Amino acid sequence: MGNITAMLAKIKSAIARSQDFNGDKTSKNPAFVEYVAKNNVMETIKTKSPILKEMLDKGEIKIIGGYYNIHSSEVIFL
């Protein structure tokens, strides 16, 4: 499916980690989509930089993610 396939591959693990969501687990459920997106934020931060992940695991740094809500135009810190 072109670009969508690549995008889905990037969030596949976040979808798998979001199975504890209570409710309809489909892309038609905005609450589930938001839940997956928020789970993906922290996973991406931790996996894209081995150095930051190591520092995080050692307790040397703390990382917080941000989620931009396109509907409200606000950034929600996780």
Side-chain angles (χ1 to χ4, degrees):
M1 296 187 304
N3 291 333
I4 292 175
T5 301
M7 181 182 67
L8 290 175
K10 291 180 181 181
I11 65 168
K12 189 174 185 177
S13 62
I15 293 168
R17 289 187 316 105
S18 299
Q19 294 307 301
D20 62 338
F21 179 81
N22 291 322
D24 189 22
K25 297 178 185 84
T26 70
S27 62
K28 294 180 182 184
N29 182 352
F32 179 64
V33 171
E34 182 175 342
Y35 189 72
V36 171
K38 288 178 178 179
N39 278 335
N40 190 52
V41 169
M42 290 308 295
E43 181 177 326
T44 300
I45 291 170
K46 292 175 185 176
T47 59
K48 293 294 180 185
S49 175
I51 294 170
L52 291 179
K53 182 178 181 335
E54 180 181 341
M55 293 174 73
L56 182 66
D57 291 345
K58 289 180 179 178
E60 298 173 344
I61 62 170
K62 182 174 181 176
I63 298 175
I64 60 169
Y67 174 82
Y68 179 72
N69 184 316
I70 61 171
H71 301 293
S72 67
S73 299
E74 67 180 326
V75 175
I76 300 158
F77 292 100
L78 306 175

